[in-house]
Amino acid sequence: NVLFDLNYFKYCFLKTTGVEFHELKLEAAFHLMAQDIVAIPGEAFMYRDFQARNIMLDKDGNPFFIDFQGGRRGPVQYDVASFLWQASARYSKSLREDLIKTYMASLKQYIEVNVKQFRQNLKLAVLFRILQVLGAYGFRGYFERKKHFLESIPPAIQNLRDLLQDGGCPYPYLRDVLTRLVGLPQFAPLPEKPV
């Protein structure tokens, strides 16, 4: 449920930072975002936790996947967002762009791809995924005190900062709240990691 994940972000991450926000305005932005997310066409298998640590290689070097019990039908952009914006990977913008182009070229072998629409939906999926993981990192890190999740917060915030700078949040009030969030002193920008 999209609203559950957005509220998870609000309660387990955003509120812990001290960023002030108007509850009803944020809720309205979340409802608009949820409507847009569920409107993305999605007839593909959506892995939901598609990241490097869930891809294994067999003895012959063929990839296989683990930990897909949360999978369901959904838009292909979500797994692209999950993989390319996983916080710990810190992929460069140019590598992401190359991989997106490669992905779209492969996808065109199976379905018709409207590149502009794909990219718009991908930005929305990236925004949603980043907020979703920040909620999880907040809960696992701030409340359960798990080191890995605490260490994952700065690169996830950097992903959010980059997305905001790239016009990746079409909801004005949410964009304002997130801009103030990434501007907090504890979330100073990270140096770029070459890949």
Side-chain angles (χ1 to χ4, degrees):
N1 183 322
V2 175
L3 285 174
F4 175 86
D5 287 331
L6 293 173
N7 281 310
Y8 192 52
F9 161 74
K10 178 173 68 173
Y11 291 111
C12 293
F13 190 81
L14 183 61
K15 283 193 174 234
T16 68
T17 67
V19 169
E20 292 187 15
F21 58 90
H22 188 281
E23 199 75 48
L24 294 178
K25 287 181 181 179
L26 186 63
E27 194 66 26
F30 281 173
H31 278 277
L32 288 174
M33 185 176 175
Q35 287 173 357
D36 292 343
I37 291 282
V38 299
I40 298 173
E43 293 301 316
F45 176 77
M46 186 174 67
Y47 195 103
R48 292 195 72 231
D49 198 17
F50 194 60
Q51 54 184 310
R53 71 176 183 210
N54 289 333
I55 303 170
M56 303 291 167
L57 298 176
D58 67 15
K59 61 180 173 49
D60 298 320
N62 300 308
F64 68 95
F65 308 101
I66 63 168
D67 195 20
F68 51 88
Q69 69 271 14
R72 60 184 62 140
R73 188 180 317 169
V76 295
Q77 291 90 345
Y78 184 87
D79 285 339
V80 174
S82 295
F83 189 81
L84 295 181
W85 276 265
Q86 55 189 303
S88 58
R90 294 183 61 200
Y91 296 132
S92 69
K93 190 172 184 173
S94 62
L95 177 61
R96 281 185 187 136
E97 185 56 33
D98 288 346
L99 292 171
I100 290 167
K101 287 177 182 174
T102 300
Y103 181 85
M104 283 192 296
S106 295
L107 186 61
K108 286 178 182 179
Q109 297 174 35
Y110 303 99
I111 62 171
E112 187 177 322
V113 177
N114 175 321
V115 173
K116 183 178 178 185
Q117 191 65 50
F118 180 92
R119 286 185 176 275
Q120 280 181 319
N121 291 338
L122 178 58
K123 271 190 180 180
L124 189 57
V126 170
L127 175 62
F128 177 63
R129 177 65 180 177
I130 292 171
L131 298 183
Q132 186 182 46
V133 298
L134 283 171
Y137 294 168
F139 181 73
R140 300 282 187 189
Y142 294 148
F143 295 101
E144 294 184 347
R145 307 302 303 164
K146 293 188 177 178
K147 184 179 179 203
H148 167 73
F149 293 99
L150 288 169
E151 291 170 349
S152 297
I153 291 171
I157 289 288
Q158 187 63 47
N159 283 342
L160 181 57
R161 180 181 292 110
D162 294 344
L163 183 69
L164 291 169
Q165 290 171 351
D166 197 27
C169 183
Y171 314 101
Y173 187 73
L174 179 59
R175 183 173 55 246
D176 172 62
V177 171
L178 297 177
T179 300
R180 286 186 283 120
L181 173 69
V182 301
L184 291 173
Q186 68 262 38
F187 300 133
L190 297 172
E192 217 171 290
K193 178 182 172 185
V195 176

